[in-house]
Structure formats: C-alpha cells, structure tokens
Amino acid sequence: MELNDVHGTQKAYRKILQSMARPGENFILPNETNNMMAYVTCLEGTKTLLYTLLDSSVTFHIPTENQQMIDLISTYTLARHETIEKADFIICPKGTSEQQLIRCMEKCAIGTLTDPHLSTTFIIEQSMNEQLPSLPITGPGVKEVNKMKLGVPEDVLAVREARLQEFPLGFDMIFVQEDGNIFSLPRTSHVGRKVTQ
C-alpha cells in the first residue's frame, strides 16, 4: 500500500466513524481508493468501504454468491469469505434479494453480552430513488428525529428490530448510494414507520 492509499483510507475511515456517530445523515466518501478495486462489480462507495475496512484479520460474506466478486475482494483485501454466521462483514450488492437479506440478518453474529463487538456489519448498496419512503430515525447521535430514505422492505426492518431486542447485542448497517454518499444505521438507532409528507 502506497502513502496516498493510506491517506485515502484514513479519510474514508473518519467519514465512516462520523456516519456511525450521526445515524441517518449522509456523508460523502473520498474517492482516493476507488481505483484500487477497479474490477470489482459494485458501487464506487462500496469499493472504498471494502478497501478501508477489510484486511487479512477479518472475514466477509456475499449472499448473492458471486464467485468472481468474492475472489477479487479476497485478492485485493486479503480478507476471507466465510459463512453468514462467521462473517465480520456482510456485503449486499445491488441485486441482493429481500429473502437473502433477511436470511443473513436472521443468522448473522450479534456478539455476546461480554463481547458485543464480535458482531456483523452490513454494507448494503441502495439505488437513489425519490419514491422511497422517508422513515424517522431516533436514538443516540440524533438530536430529535432524522428522516432517511431507506430502500429496504418493512419485513427486513422487522427482522432487524427482532434481533436488536437485547442491547448491546445486535449488528450495524452502512448504506451506500450511487452518488458516493453513505449513511449508517447502528444497532442503537430505532427506525419508525413511514413519514407522511
């Protein structure tokens, strides 16, 4: 890794931390690391996240089982592909079905009471769509209520809510948009129902 790569991943990591600290707010990722994963078929923001967060000490899972994508990510990051239950990161590229996402949420690691950090982080690609419902986000890091256009069905949110019943157990989610923006939904955030415009 060259010096410029290090600076790029440091900038990206700071944006990820800001995103987790302020749920539902959009943050634009720097694009310094995008060219490092040119042949991986995912959004540019996802490439930056993968290059920043994955290394030889972590594992990942892709529910679509795209073997070419799995091999390329492993080659670029040295991370190992694992089962849902053992994955540190679950990467859901565009085209991941609702059933695949629900299955991952039902089976993923949520940590333990003594080690809650031993849990999964989801990276979910989302198309920009003005027709998406605005959902209210509350919890730590939100002054009152944030409204977030969230491209996952209510059934998925119901599974998320069911698995976050016993804090600090749970999982965190990072959503990646086509324009390079990311927003996060940590386990401490509550998602309400559709906001009437």
Side-chain angles (χ1 to χ4, degrees), residues 180-197:
N181 276 309
I182 64 167
F183 59 86
S184 295
L185 198 57
R187 69 192 70 188
T188 53
S189 296
H190 174 72
V191 182
R193 292 298 173 252
K194 182 178 179 180
V195 175
T196 303
Q197 298 291 342

Side-chain angles (χ1 to χ4, degrees), residues 57-87:
S57 68
V58 302
T59 56
F60 69 97
H61 181 81
I62 299 178
T64 56
E65 298 182 358
N66 181 331
Q67 193 58 50
Q68 182 182 27
M69 187 177 185
I70 291 168
D71 292 342
L72 285 170
I73 290 173
S74 293
T75 298
Y76 281 119
T77 67
L78 303 181
R80 299 183 326 278
H81 189 260
E82 263 291 0
T83 61
I84 297 170
E85 296 87 347
K86 295 181 180 179

Side-chain angles (χ1 to χ4, degrees), residues 19 51 108 121 165:
S19 175
Y51 198 70
C108 72
T121 298
Q165 291 298 309

Side-chain angles (χ1 to χ4, degrees), residues 47-183:
K47 294 177 187 180
T48 298
L49 287 175
L50 299 181
Y51 198 70
T52 302
L53 297 173
L54 270 59
D55 60 27
S56 60
S57 68
V58 302
T59 56
F60 69 97
H61 181 81
I62 299 178
T64 56
E65 298 182 358
N66 181 331
Q67 193 58 50
Q68 182 182 27
M69 187 177 185
I70 291 168
D71 292 342
L72 285 170
I73 290 173
S74 293
T75 298
Y76 281 119
T77 67
L78 303 181
R80 299 183 326 278
H81 189 260
E82 263 291 0
T83 61
I84 297 170
E85 296 87 347
K86 295 181 180 179
D88 298 304
F89 295 91
I90 294 180
I91 305 157
C92 300
K94 289 199 302 185
T96 302
S97 70
E98 177 181 342
Q99 291 74 23
Q100 288 171 328
L101 186 52
I102 286 176
R103 181 170 177 266
C104 288
M105 287 186 175
E106 289 175 338
K107 298 179 70 176
C108 72
I110 57 173
T112 65
L113 291 175
T114 53
D115 293 301
H117 61 284
L118 300 177
S119 59
T120 299
T121 298
F122 282 80
I123 298 174
I124 301 174
E125 294 189 338
Q126 173 174 290
S127 297
M128 296 172 65
N129 186 345
E130 292 301 319
Q131 303 304 314
L132 291 175
S134 291
L135 302 177
I137 309 298
T138 56
V142 181
K143 287 185 179 180
E144 293 181 1
V145 177
N146 279 342
K147 294 178 183 178
M148 181 169 66
K149 288 189 176 294
L150 197 56
V152 294
E154 285 199 13
D155 287 349
V156 172
L157 295 177
V159 173
R160 174 186 180 268
E161 191 171 327
R163 296 221 67 196
L164 302 184
Q165 291 298 309
E166 192 174 1
F167 184 81
L169 305 184
F171 53 81
D172 305 309
M173 306 172 79
I174 304 173
F175 292 85
V176 188
Q177 297 179 337
E178 293 164 332
D179 60 0
N181 276 309
I182 64 167
F183 59 86

